[in-house]
Amino acid sequence: MTATRPVLYAHPFSSYCQKVLVALYENGTPFEYRMLEAPGAMEELTALWPMKRFPVLVDGERTVFEATCIIEYLGLHHPGPVRLLPEDADAALEVRMLDRFFDNYVSTPQQKFVFDRLRPEAVRDPHGVAEARAMLETSYAWLDCHMQGREWAAGERFTLADCGAAPFLFYADWTHAIDPAFANVVAYRQRLLARPSVARAVDEARPFRKYFPLGAPDRD
Ligand SMILES: N[C@@H](CCC(=O)N[C@@H](CS)C(=O)NCC(=O)O)C(=O)O
């Protein structure tokens, strides 16, 4: 375990940053928040990770990118009382699989809407957006069955999979509303929003809602 505080390059409104912030808040992990709107922070991020995607964690000599890997790194090097990946390898595989579900089949199609809106109108991709909408619908339907009788994505314990599910379902519902018929998904999203670590991340992002390219609804 390292003695210094890790530095998180992040923006409060970013869903992938919120995924890591939820993990940090779950465990009360001390860290330095390098807010990307601070002078020079974006340049530092670009030097660390030329993809310019965030979050990125710097811990001493170590640079870690990809939200899932950052959460796993924190569990290894800055563990707290809440274990976000089960010790049992097979149970951990289940959590990682669900984490991949939320990244690839909820966040990726949701981001497609947003990135498309940010393009100049002449080069927008309505076919791609329609595919993303269909994928989100399929994801909601699958998740509704999956969440039947479950409190959290992997069962009784809050895990890595829920850290991503929280911001991704939050923004997915703003982007392509979850049909109330998917009652298990709606209830899971509400449970996530009531979790103190998630509520804190959502509250910290509130001042930036005007950034949402599709227009933030007046709720949540
Ligand atoms: N695969 C990355 C995705 C990170 C990501 O897409 N972050 C968004 C913010 S939510 C970003 O960096 N957007 C800036 C851009 O696309 O240039 C992860 O898991 O951390």
Side-chain angles (χ1 to χ4, degrees):
M1 213 193 297
T2 46
T4 53
R5 287 193 309 167
V7 180
L8 185 74
Y9 287 79
H11 192 284
F13 199 63
S14 148
S15 55
Y16 280 96
C17 295
Q18 289 179 14
K19 174 172 167 176
V20 169
L21 289 166
V22 167
L24 287 161
Y25 297 157
E26 280 292 322
N27 275 305
T29 310
F31 70 103
E32 186 187 325
Y33 199 140
R34 191 74 176 113
M35 168 29 163
L36 286 168
E37 288 189 18
M42 204 64 200
E43 289 75 12
E44 289 170 28
L45 176 85
T46 307
L48 287 164
W49 180 221
M51 295 297 168
K52 302 184 202 175
R53 289 287 178 110
F54 36 92
V56 167
L57 187 88
V58 177
D59 194 23
E61 296 297 301
R62 196 87 175 260
T63 297
V64 189
F65 46 79
E66 293 293 305
T68 297
C69 299
I70 295 172
I71 293 173
E72 290 215 33
Y73 177 89
L74 290 168
L76 284 176
H77 297 278
H78 299 270
V82 181
R83 198 186 171 97
L84 295 165
L85 257 193
E87 204 159 9
D88 175 76
D90 203 28
L93 172 65
E94 178 78 8
V95 170
R96 287 194 180 93
M97 183 181 78
L98 292 162
D99 174 72
R100 297 296 76 226
F101 165 75
F102 288 111
D103 269 35
N104 292 326
Y105 306 115
V106 178
S107 177
T108 297
Q110 189 278 326
Q111 283 191 329
K112 174 72 186 172
F113 282 75
V114 168
F115 290 144
D116 192 70
R117 185 60 63 89
L118 295 173
R119 287 183 183 184
E121 215 159 333
V123 290
R124 290 210 180 131
D125 175 18
H127 183 74
V129 171
E131 286 180 335
R133 184 178 291 105
M135 181 178 277
L136 272 182
E137 270 301 302
T138 306
S139 293
Y140 294 160
W142 181 82
L143 188 60
D144 198 59
C145 293
H146 176 78
M147 288 310 297
Q148 178 67 45
R150 280 170 196 259
E151 186 170 10
W152 304 113
E156 285 170 15
R157 285 179 44 196
F158 188 93
T159 67
L160 161 70
D162 304 296
C163 294
F168 301 153
L169 287 174
F170 177 81
Y171 287 118
D173 184 54
W174 280 13
T175 301
H176 174 62
I178 301 165
D179 191 316
F182 297 131
N184 296 321
V185 182
V186 173
Y188 175 47
R189 184 177 179 277
Q190 283 311 117
R191 245 181 342 268
L192 287 164
L193 290 178
R195 183 106 178 163
S197 59
V198 175
R200 180 174 168 187
V202 168
D203 281 343
E204 288 171 352
R206 238 172 249 286
F208 303 98
R209 287 187 175 194
K210 60 184 176 297
Y211 290 179
F212 193 62
L214 308 170
D218 194 16
R219 59 182 165 87
D220 297 322

